[in-house]
Every structure is written in C-alpha cells, then in structure tokens.
Amino acid sequence: MADAIRSPSFRFSSSLLTTASVSALNSSSQPSISPVGSCSDKRASPVLFVSSAGVSPFVPAPRKQFNSLKVHATIAETDQPKWWERNAGPNMVDIHSTPEFLSALSEAGDRLVIVEFYGTWCASCRALFPKLCKTAEEHPEILFLKVNFDENKPMCKSLNVKVLPFFHFYRGSEGQLESFSCSLVKFQKIKDAIAKHNTERCSIGPPKGVGELNLNSFAAPKDSPPS
C-alpha cells in the first residue's frame, strides 16, 4: 500500500492525487498553473510525483535534437568548396604563382588563353564567376586561367592589374591580344573578344613574353651541343 501524505488541512490515502487535490497543493505552496492548452500559457504543467518524501515537480530536460541538426548543417556547409575554388572543367586552371602562370601560357601553344584576375573579397568577381564557368563549358578549346590577386600581388602589379575583375587575352606568338576590366553587366565584352580572337590561325614562332615576365625560361630545354 502506498505511503500516505499528511498535512494540516489534507489527508491522502492513495498514491494518485486527484485533480482537485493537486490544485489545492499548488495553490498553497506554488503559483497557480494554467491548464494545458490555455491561451494564457502554452507551456505544459509540471508532472507531480508522490513519494514518502512528499510531492515534487518533475521538469523534463530539453531535447538536444535541434543542436545536433545545427552541428550537422555547419559541417555540411564547411565541406563545400568556396566559390572561387570551383572549376568548370579541365580547361579552367587555378594559378598560384608566377612560374605556374608562365608555364601555362607556354604550354598553351596556339590556343586562346583567357586570364581572369579576381579577389575572394570582390563582390563583382563573385557575381560574374558563374557566367564565366558557363562560357568555359561552352568553349572547351579555350584555356581559362584564374589568378588570385592577393596570392600573386607582385605578378599582378607587373601586369598592370589595378581593377578587379580584370581579364587578359593571350594567344601563342601574338602574345597579349587584349586586356580590360569587366563586370557581370558588361559580360558581352568577353563574348565579343572571344568571337574576335578565337578564329582558326597558325602562329609562327614561340610564345612571346608577358609584360616584364619572360617565357623563355619555361620553354623546353634544348639539347646541349656535343663537346
């Protein structure tokens, strides 16, 4: 038989409290609790447990489900590459140094090369980038080089890059064909330059130097004459 609870004004002989008894206890020792589903308070009333020590409310611990979802969402977001790290295909290459830049131009041969100078913090560069990726997919014969301005400041300075995003067009022995700044609104400039410089042609001679940079040091070494 369950223990009985005695008080100056109440006597209980059962482990289960009636609704009226619980209300009386709450009114005498605790603030009144609105019934579940009332308009004044949407929170559920605490559950009362009866034991030999008395009546004690039980408040369930909050669930950690939402915190777990936030953690998984954060991990999934960090796994995604940044916008400037995405490439449209094998004809879009990231350049991290001056030797890489000169080597890519030297190995391009007669292919048209479009160089984009960008900044990770540049909003105009980010807005234009998806359009550039689509153009690279439409022209697999063109080589697109991406140069991070902050990682290659000395080289960008020697190439007179002062505004971002900035574009250079190169082709074989003709060297630099054209250079200009372009935003998403003026993207037609890039399309017009491609139509102008991407015609079939045959260059004569090795690729020329680029500004103050020299391609000769990255050309294939010649066999030394016999002694």
Side-chain angles (χ1 to χ4, degrees):
M1 185 174 182
D3 295 334
I5 300 177
R6 291 181 175 82
S7 65
S9 57
F10 301 95
R11 184 180 183 84
F12 303 91
S13 59
S14 175
S15 60
L16 299 177
L17 298 179
T18 63
T19 304
S21 301
V22 172
S23 301
L25 285 175
N26 290 337
S27 61
S28 61
S29 59
Q30 300 178 1
S32 60
I33 301 174
S34 302
V36 178
S38 63
C39 296
S40 59
D41 191 355
K42 298 296 183 181
R43 296 173 298 178
S45 302
V47 180
L48 297 179
F49 285 89
V50 180
S51 64
S52 58
V55 181
S56 60
F58 171 76
V59 180
R63 296 182 179 181
K64 298 182 180 180
Q65 181 179 1
F66 294 104
N67 293 337
S68 177
L69 292 176
K70 290 181 180 180
V71 171
H72 288 297
T74 303
I75 295 175
E77 183 178 355
T78 54
D79 290 342
Q80 297 295 328
K82 304 295 189 301
W83 67 265
W84 62 87
E85 296 174 343
R86 300 172 184 174
N87 290 328
N91 63 324
M92 181 173 278
V93 181
D94 290 283
I95 299 298
H96 302 286
S97 64
T98 301
E100 284 187 12
F101 177 64
L102 295 177
S103 178
L105 288 178
S106 179
E107 295 174 359
D110 291 334
R111 297 176 67 185
L112 178 63
V113 181
I114 300 177
V115 185
E116 180 205 15
F117 300 89
Y118 70 94
T120 59
W121 42 265
C122 176
S124 183
C125 299
R126 181 171 185 173
L128 179 142
F129 187 68
K131 196 81 171 180
L132 187 67
C133 289
K134 183 179 180 180
T135 304
E137 293 176 353
E138 296 172 349
H139 296 277
E141 75 282 1
I142 300 176
L143 177 62
F144 290 80
L145 304 181
K146 295 159 51 188
V147 179
N148 189 326
F149 179 84
D150 294 324
E151 291 182 354
N152 303 274
K153 286 184 178 180
M155 181 179 72
C156 293
K157 184 178 179 181
S158 65
L159 296 175
N160 200 28
V161 177
K162 300 179 180 179
V163 182
L164 299 178
F166 203 80
F167 292 86
H168 281 189
F169 284 69
Y170 298 92
R171 187 157 188 178
S173 62
E174 299 178 41
Q176 183 175 316
L177 305 173
E178 194 172 350
S179 63
F180 52 82
S181 176
C182 183
S183 62
L184 180 60
V185 179
K186 299 179 180 180
F187 194 80
Q188 186 62 37
K189 292 175 62 177
I190 296 179
K191 292 185 176 181
D192 294 341
I194 290 176
K196 178 181 178 181
H197 302 299
N198 197 32
T199 57
E200 294 184 4
R201 65 187 73 178
C202 180
S203 300
I204 300 176
K208 293 183 178 180
V210 182
E212 298 179 4
L213 307 177
N214 186 11
L215 290 176
N216 294 332
S217 58
F218 295 92
K222 297 181 180 180
D223 295 335
S224 57
S227 56

